[in-house]
Amino acid sequence: MSTFLSGQPRRLKQGGLVDRGRPLSFSFDGKRYHGYVGDTLASALLANGVKLVGRSFKYHRPRGILTAGSEEPNALVELRAGARREPNTRATVVELFDGLEARSQNRWPSLTLDVGSINSMFSPLFVAGFYYKTFMWPAALWEKLYEPLIRRAAGLGRASGKVDPDHYEKAHAFCDVLVVGAGPAGLAASLAAGRSGARVILADEDFLLGGSLNGDRRRVGDLPGSKWARQVVAELESLPNARVMRRTTVFGAYDGNTFGAVERVSDHLPTPPPHQPRQRCWKIVAKRVVIAAGAIERPIVFGGNDRPGVMMASAARAYLHRHGVAVGERPVLFTASDDGWKTVLDLSRAGMDVRAIVDTRREISPMLSSAAKQARIPMLLDARVIATSGAHALNRVRVRRRDGGIEDIRADVLCVSGGWNPTIALTTHLGGRPRWSEALSAFFPDELPAAVVVGAARGSFTLAAALREGAEAGAEAARSTGHRTFAESVPEVDDELTGATPCWEVGGSKSKAFVDFQHDVTREDVALAAREGFSSVEHLKRYTTLGMGTDQGRTSNINGLAILASVTNRSIPEVGTTVFRPPYTPVSFGALAGLLRGKEFRPTRLTASHAWAAENGATFVEVGQWLRAQYFAQGGEDHWLQTVVREAKAVRQSVGVCDVSTLGKIDIQGADAATFLDRVYINTFSTLPVGKTRYGVMLREDGFVMDDGTTAHISPGHYVMSTTTVNAGKVMQHLEHARQVIWPELDVRIVSITEQWAQYAIAGPNARRLLERLLDDAIDISNAAFPYLACAEFSWRGIPARLFRVSFSGELAFELAVPARYGDATVRAIMAAGEAWNVVPYGTEALGVMRIEKGHVAGNELNGMTTAADLGFARMMSTKKDFIGRVLARRPGLVDADRPTLVGIKPVDRNERLHAGAHFLSIGAKAALANDQGYVTSVAFSPMLNHWIGLGLLARGPSRLGEHVRAYDPLRGGDTEVEIVSPVFFDPEGGRLKA
Amino acid sequence: MRIQCPFCGLRDWSEFSSLGDANARRPDGDAPAADFFDAVYLRGNPAGPHEELWYHAFGCRGWLRVARDTRTHEIFAVDMCGEVAAS
């Protein structure tokens, strides 16, 4: 009578923690299977007798499930379909749900018949580092053949390529005590801390808390371990000061006791419920941390150790106790530790026919040998497994006995136990260096401030120690955060044997012995690396790629460095170990991005006139985070150039309005405000009378131009500075630095008012007429009362307003500023007031055309590499005062006469178009860097001149007016002969300005 | 990393921008060019305690003088620049 369920050949009729009342169906590689709530994909596959789950990365070897945890290197599957399809998911951590679809990876056309397995035949070519020695000749084949081939062969799994339909969140949490890991040590710690009233967060990557207790048959006190775990969790969940986070991996330790964690909110559901995120990324700030991350069982390196059916002994035990799955009917144990024996004794108790225990050690505890004898399990001590066989699943194990004789044992699963490695990853994220413990044959975590490691994670492998250390650490953490704890007795547990003598590798095997399963790194690769001089453990890792997979070498690092030690005749501590970086396990980009996706990646800043502009057909352009109206296409216009030319012509012929609110505005006040301005600008502002504005240029301390703008003296000691849009924040920082750090003795205060005021440029011959109609008698803006560069504060229709007579366009122009909340009403009022003169709205393009016509520099010229002299402002630099940048601006390299300086250019053939970015060469000079004489910075089609014009920086430019040079633009195929002219193309006397 | 702004309290470092060495003072206006060159371009790169300037860009806009260990990000002291100079 079978002990197994019909329909699930390896599922025992009884046992396990799965919910047999809730069956599920799922598919793998298109075939339907059944499982239960509480299964992982791996346990359900094993229950259904599925042994082959994937093909290895390089050699395409058939692979099965090796572990029962997140350290799984082999069983990487593709989950779901369509836009939610995700590659490289460990089947061992996938929580099974009804309708789950999974597929194996890295095989074609199928898992059982994989063409890629031909790689195995060429394996001598594919040893570690092969790509450093191949694909080099002939060079011509690189682009056409090698690169495309490598691109197709490289990588593992396929991304969906579609937009992720789910959304993700980010959240913060704060606590007194963070406990990482909900195994026995973590549960004990959380309980002790939680009962004291401390704010506790307990996080575990699993969906069922309890860690090793769920994969074993240990008792805690008088309860089965898994039941004790459930009880503790229930108590914690009843405490208002404790937060239990399942399915939550603490993936990284960061400065300031901050931890990153990802909570898989809906991964175990077919789709997220309405309004729920798929995953949530947490930033947890904890006063104290207890790291109870457990330990990971170590494989043994021997020939054929990667065959499907070779599995970690503790995994086989977990599948038995947690899922009621007997992974094989005829198991064999290959062990170097006492722990492995527990597995086969449990399997035997469950009715499996254990064929042999192969222990590398010569002597073992009588308790173990008598238990094995009672179970009638043959023991081979001081013996080694040297090979396995079976096409896609294990069927035979070859053993070398103590006496040297070879024995073949028929077996369908080989449980391997090489000992335990404490999970120290989190303790190394901030530079902690693990230390080797000879007694444990393991790396020990480094001391950390504000964090303590307990249980198996610090090499205490008994359940009793885990409970005791956890409770002590939890209590201590609670006390040090100011809470009172109560003396509690730790539940009693049976003794256990935890002896182990490491066997890193088994020699004398002809078949490949794998160290890193995920990256197909063999024992021979480690030896090869050492032979080729890569004998540092860090070089070993990078040269062989050992430990560089998504499992971070959790089942391979120690074996690898131990073998390296042996082939280089060093001790393990001498070789040392590599350390880890976050994330502990892969984290999706979605979780890291949270809500910052697409348009929401950055804030969008809108001006007060945005709605009005949109109504009037504006096309918007991003300037920094702002949206500015670029141009306003009107009926019939089908090309932007058409629109822009119309706008510029309309402004120069009548009047136009442009929103200039985005330019930085800084309010500067104080008894020393004038002195302050003198120190930051190259020119003098202390002579600027009240009611006047002045153009200023600001340098960095290294002598290069930082920004330009106009500053208005509104009332005594009160100035308003304007900056360019993109540099507003930078200038603010610069001024605050000057004020607080360099000259803190000055009595001056500044504040940003960019967003507080809406500002509109009204420009053109009819600008005054429009404004007089708009402003009524609020202010006298006749040329006599309000000349060019005047400024004033006044009240208009009951609101405060400011008027500046500055002009970027070169026309008669004013800039009207109102508090931003009146901005929309004001722009509409401007348009209404200007109807009589056909006022047009104009955008940044027309603004740019007009300023280029007037030779005004802007962002393209203020590119951080130009000096004041380059831009024609040499005479503005005061010699009578100190200002930022004054000294270094006089460096020989910055005053060199040969420097590219500002000029205007016109195409010699007036029909030709100009491109910004073209470089200047003398006619006839070879197009080489040595002959480079400068470059074109800005271009525009000039409606006034009816051809393209440009501004540029040309070596000794101003002395070469009239000369012809070549504007060479190889990137876009441009090569134009241009004439060097003055940068002021239109109204050079400035008469229109001063009207 | 979090910085204790004297004005705003404990804030995440993403609210600040860093300028670097606080002891790279701007020389007086009449100092020789070599002094300016050193102040603008030359920086040590100590592994250990470092006094540096941080600007609370998304807070009070105060400039802070922070003593931080460059190896561990442990912060020993934070002062408002204006106050330090006044004292």
Side-chain angles (χ1 to χ4, degrees):
Chain A
M1 161 124 157
S2 171
T3 29
F4 297 103
L5 282 184
S6 70
Q8 291 184 45
R10 306 240 44 87
R11 177 92 64 185
L12 295 163
K13 281 197 176 139
Q14 282 164 16
L17 304 171
V18 291
D19 187 345
R20 290 168 186 264
R22 303 211 297 192
L24 304 170
S25 90
F26 68 99
S27 78
F28 180 65
D29 278 351
K31 198 162 163 214
R32 272 235 102 68
Y33 297 100
H34 292 93
Y36 296 110
V37 169
D39 265 330
T40 59
L41 175 59
S43 66
L45 285 170
L46 288 167
N48 284 275
V50 175
K51 288 220 154 99
L52 177 63
V53 294
R55 290 278 179 167
S56 72
F57 187 34
K58 212 168 31 167
Y59 299 126
H60 286 247
R61 290 169 70 92
R63 289 284 168 82
I65 294 162
L66 184 74
T67 70
S70 62
E71 67 272 20
E72 176 62 33
N74 282 340
L76 302 181
V77 302
E78 184 182 89
L79 274 192
R80 302 174 193 267
R84 289 196 173 88
R85 189 178 80 203
E86 59 181 279
N88 302 326
T89 313
R90 303 156 169 74
T92 50
V93 300
V94 173
E95 197 174 338
L96 196 70
F97 58 86
D98 201 43
L100 182 149
E101 274 178 57
R103 282 167 296 281
S104 59
Q105 296 185 151
N106 207 37
R107 79 298 186 270
W108 185 84
S110 75
L111 191 50
T112 42
L113 177 62
D114 174 32
V115 164
S117 57
I118 208 161
N119 283 1
S120 271
M121 281 171 46
F122 296 109
S123 59
L125 291 176
F126 291 141
V127 294
F130 76 93
Y131 36 80
Y132 298 121
K133 304 164 185 163
T134 51
F135 304 119
M136 291 183 203
W137 179 89
L141 282 186
W142 173 254
E143 226 179 286
K144 292 194 188 69
L145 182 62
Y146 298 145
E147 205 232 345
L149 264 184
I150 292 169
R151 204 168 271 284
R152 287 198 58 181
L156 190 64
R158 9 164 240 168
S160 75
K162 301 198 172 82
V163 175
D164 191 331
D166 295 327
H167 78 267
Y168 300 78
E169 281 179 5
K170 304 219 293 205
H172 290 80
F174 300 84
C175 62
D176 296 314
V177 185
L178 170 66
V179 179
V180 180
L187 289 172
S190 309
L191 199 58
R195 282 174 175 169
S196 79
R199 290 174 307 161
V200 175
I201 294 178
L202 171 64
D204 192 291
E205 59 184 357
D206 209 334
F207 54 93
L208 182 70
L209 304 185
S212 58
L213 294 173
N214 294 324
D216 217 326
R217 60 193 294 272
R218 303 297 305 279
R219 296 185 80 80
V220 177
D222 51 9
L223 288 174
S226 56
K227 198 147 179 218
W228 178 85
R230 269 207 306 284
Q231 224 173 51
V232 173
V233 172
E235 181 177 341
L236 288 170
E237 285 181 323
S238 75
L239 295 175
N241 52 307
R243 183 205 293 259
V244 175
M245 301 180 74
R246 287 176 184 72
R247 303 183 180 95
T248 303
T249 305
V250 176
F251 61 74
Y254 302 93
D255 301 305
N257 261 20
T258 305
F259 291 80
V262 63
E263 180 187 1
R264 287 174 286 280
V265 179
S266 311
D267 277 9
H268 62 293
L269 304 167
T271 57
H275 314 297
Q276 287 292 316
R278 175 77 189 268
Q279 294 177 354
R280 191 178 285 128
C281 189
W282 288 88
K283 216 167 162 185
I284 302 174
V285 182
K287 290 194 181 136
R288 292 287 184 279
V289 188
V290 176
I291 299 177
I296 292 173
E297 197 168 30
R298 194 165 53 226
I300 301 176
V301 179
F302 58 91
N305 64 338
D306 70 322
R307 200 172 301 281
V310 178
M311 180 182 290
M312 302 313 303
S314 60
R317 193 157 86 236
Y319 288 120
L320 176 67
H321 294 295
R322 182 166 164 182
H323 303 279
V325 173
V327 294
E329 284 200 70
R330 282 178 307 283
V332 166
L333 174 71
F334 180 27
T335 184
S337 81
D338 293 340
D339 193 82
W341 291 64
K342 293 184 202 164
T343 296
V344 289
L345 291 170
D346 288 354
L347 285 173
S348 172
R349 206 172 284 115
M352 303 307 113
D353 179 17
V354 181
R355 306 309 330 231
I357 292 175
V358 180
D359 197 315
T360 59
R361 300 170 289 175
R362 206 161 298 177
E363 277 163 26
I364 45 123
S365 154
M367 273 176 58
L368 294 179
S369 49
S370 65
K373 278 200 192 89
Q374 258 197 324
R376 287 215 266 276
I377 303 172
M379 291 176 282
L380 296 165
L381 300 184
D382 194 9
R384 310 272 186 284
V385 170
I386 57 172
T388 63
S389 45
H392 289 157
L394 180 75
N395 62 23
R396 205 169 35 226
V397 168
R398 175 158 289 183
V399 180
R400 187 176 63 231
R401 291 191 308 259
R402 185 206 323 243
D403 60 12
I406 305 293
E407 197 173 310
D408 279 346
I409 305 174
R410 280 185 59 235
D412 63 352
V413 67
L414 177 60
C415 302
V416 179
S417 175
W420 291 90
N421 293 328
T423 306
I424 54 168
L426 216 52
T427 66
T428 67
H429 285 174
L430 292 172
R433 295 246 124 217
R435 288 161 293 130
W436 178 252
S437 157
E438 201 55 54
L440 290 174
S441 294
F443 277 97
F444 212 72
D446 198 3
E447 295 281 310
L448 295 169
V452 63
V453 185
V454 296
R458 72 183 285 272
S460 306
F461 296 128
T462 65
L463 179 55
L467 292 169
R468 188 187 63 244
E469 289 178 10
E472 274 168 14
E476 175 54 38
R479 280 193 295 273
S480 61
T481 55
H483 299 88
R484 271 192 60 206
T485 60
F486 309 93
E488 311 246 7
S489 59
V490 177
E492 277 207 25
V493 298
D494 290 336
D495 285 336
E496 62 194 284
L497 293 167
T498 57
T501 305
C503 169
W504 311 112
E505 57 164 330
V506 172
S509 175
K510 282 189 221 86
S511 38
K512 282 191 176 24
F514 284 86
V515 181
D516 184 328
F517 299 96
Q518 190 167 126
H519 272 189
D520 268 350
V521 178
T522 64
R523 190 260 172 218
E524 285 318 309
D525 288 328
V526 178
L528 174 71
R531 272 202 309 278
E532 298 200 347
F534 297 98
S535 50
S536 132
V537 69
E538 300 285 353
H539 282 153
L540 169 70
K541 173 180 174 179
R542 275 80 183 180
Y543 191 63
T544 62
T545 74
L546 188 159
M548 294 180 74
T550 63
D551 61 337
Q552 292 194 335
R554 269 191 276 286
T555 50
S556 54
N557 286 333
I558 310 294
N559 285 339
L561 63 89
I563 294 170
L564 179 67
S566 129
V567 301
T568 58
N569 283 321
R570 287 176 290 173
S571 70
I572 287 178
E574 277 177 289
V575 167
T577 177
T578 54
V579 289
F580 302 91
R581 279 195 268 277
Y584 177 73
T585 45
V587 178
S588 68
F589 281 113
L592 294 172
L595 299 171
L596 301 181
R597 281 169 65 170
K599 226 174 130 276
E600 275 68 56
F601 180 69
R602 293 197 300 180
T604 305
R605 298 170 83 177
L606 303 177
T607 63
S609 72
H610 187 90
W612 163 83
E615 283 164 32
N616 282 276
T619 300
F620 293 96
V621 64
E622 286 178 23
V623 184
Q625 293 170 351
W626 293 98
L627 284 183
R628 294 191 72 179
Q630 196 178 9
Y631 51 86
F632 295 77
Q634 283 186 4
E637 288 171 346
D638 55 7
H639 193 273
W640 62 268
L641 193 51
Q642 232 185 327
T643 306
V644 171
V645 164
R646 174 185 55 75
E647 287 177 13
K649 272 191 176 152
V651 171
R652 293 223 190 273
Q653 280 161 13
S654 181
V655 63
V657 59
C658 179
D659 188 324
V660 296
S661 309
T662 63
L663 278 74
K665 303 185 256 320
I666 302 175
D667 194 290
I668 302 170
Q669 299 185 31
D672 295 328
T675 309
F676 180 69
L677 289 169
D678 277 356
R679 303 254 175 108
V680 300
Y681 276 129
I682 65 177
N683 48 332
T684 309
F685 277 76
S686 48
T687 54
L688 184 68
V690 174
K692 295 290 277 189
T693 311
R694 184 169 288 168
Y695 173 73
V697 171
M698 202 178 279
L699 306 183
R700 300 193 305 247
E701 197 66 81
D702 67 359
F704 288 91
V705 172
M706 184 179 159
D707 201 55
D708 71 348
T710 57
T711 291
H713 195 173
I714 301 231
S715 64
H718 183 192
Y719 298 81
V720 175
M721 174 191 284
S722 79
T723 76
T724 60
T725 299
V726 292
N727 285 336
K730 206 194 289 189
V731 171
M732 193 66 194
Q733 176 171 340
H734 178 77
L735 294 186
E736 288 285 20
H737 179 257
R739 185 180 80 79
Q740 297 180 39
V741 179
I742 307 179
W743 297 294
E745 69 277 5
L746 291 181
D747 178 6
V748 60
R749 289 283 184 271
I750 65 178
V751 69
S752 162
I753 53 170
T754 308
E755 295 186 333
Q756 282 67 26
W757 291 80
Q759 191 150 327
Y760 302 99
I762 297 145
N766 289 316
R768 184 180 290 110
R769 293 186 186 95
L770 185 162
L771 267 176
E772 276 168 344
R773 171 164 288 186
L774 179 75
L775 300 177
D776 292 324
D777 300 319
I779 176 173
D780 180 357
I781 55 170
S782 64
N783 203 13
F786 204 74
Y788 177 55
L789 295 180
C791 68
E793 254 186 334
F794 57 102
S795 178
W796 172 55
R797 300 191 187 176
I799 67 170
R802 291 171 176 167
L803 196 64
F804 310 89
R805 193 170 153 187
V806 292
S807 177
F808 200 40
S809 56
E811 293 304 310
L812 165 65
F814 301 79
E815 289 190 10
L816 174 66
V818 295
R821 63 191 174 282
Y822 301 111
D824 178 86
T826 300
V827 70
R828 292 174 197 275
I830 292 170
M831 291 298 292
E835 255 184 62
W837 301 283
N838 298 314
V839 63
V840 298
Y842 67 101
T844 56
E845 286 299 325
L847 188 70
V849 164
M850 290 189 283
R851 71 99 185 163
I852 292 170
E853 284 176 334
K854 293 297 298 185
H856 288 153
V857 298
N860 291 7
E861 290 76 35
L862 309 175
N863 58 21
M865 300 183 290
T866 48
T867 65
D870 293 345
L871 302 177
F873 298 134
R875 284 204 306 241
M876 265 173 76
M877 289 181 48
S878 166
T879 52
K880 299 203 186 84
K881 63 177 174 84
D882 183 24
F883 54 87
I884 292 175
R886 181 180 65 93
V887 172
L888 292 184
R890 295 200 304 245
R891 289 183 279 168
L894 273 66
V895 299
D896 187 346
D898 284 342
R899 281 181 69 87
T901 353
L902 189 70
V903 293
I905 57 170
K906 295 180 183 180
V908 168
D909 174 356
R910 297 292 193 245
N911 293 318
E912 283 210 64
R913 185 170 166 161
L914 294 174
H915 290 284
H919 277 249
F920 294 125
L921 299 163
S922 292
I923 311 271
K926 179 162 163 250
L929 212 51
N931 297 329
D932 186 8
Q933 307 212 323
Y935 51 98
V936 179
T937 55
S938 308
V939 301
F941 181 85
S942 164
M944 293 298 112
L945 277 64
N946 210 26
H947 61 75
W948 284 82
I949 59 174
L951 299 174
L953 298 162
L954 176 69
R956 290 167 285 109
S959 65
R960 297 166 71 174
L961 299 189
E963 192 178 319
H964 289 196
V965 299
R966 192 175 160 205
Y968 179 61
D969 182 8
L971 274 181
R972 284 168 295 194
D975 201 346
T976 316
E977 194 173 324
V978 299
E979 182 193 346
I980 305 303
V981 298
S982 154
V984 186
F985 295 88
F986 178 70
D987 184 29
E989 315 297 308
R992 299 169 78 96
L993 258 186
K994 308 213 173 103
Chain B
M1 185 175 73
R2 281 177 295 285
I3 300 174
Q4 180 88 23
C5 172
F7 201 71
C8 307
L10 197 62
R11 293 301 179 92
D12 192 68
W13 73 294
S14 57
E15 293 187 9
F16 301 82
S17 64
S18 170
L19 192 63
D21 190 359
N23 294 319
R25 298 210 64 250
R26 182 187 191 264
D28 285 334
D30 46 17
D35 288 3
F36 273 90
F37 183 86
D38 288 355
V40 168
Y41 289 110
L42 298 189
R43 291 289 179 275
N45 190 19
H50 185 231
E51 282 191 317
E52 49 196 33
L53 294 176
W54 288 80
Y55 171 60
H56 200 179
F58 293 109
C60 62
R61 293 196 324 277
W63 277 92
L64 310 181
R65 190 185 181 92
V66 176
R68 174 181 71 97
D69 188 318
T70 59
R71 293 163 305 187
T72 62
H73 296 314
E74 189 186 343
I75 290 179
F76 305 111
V78 182
D79 298 293
M80 213 84 193
C81 276
E83 278 166 24
V84 169
S87 61

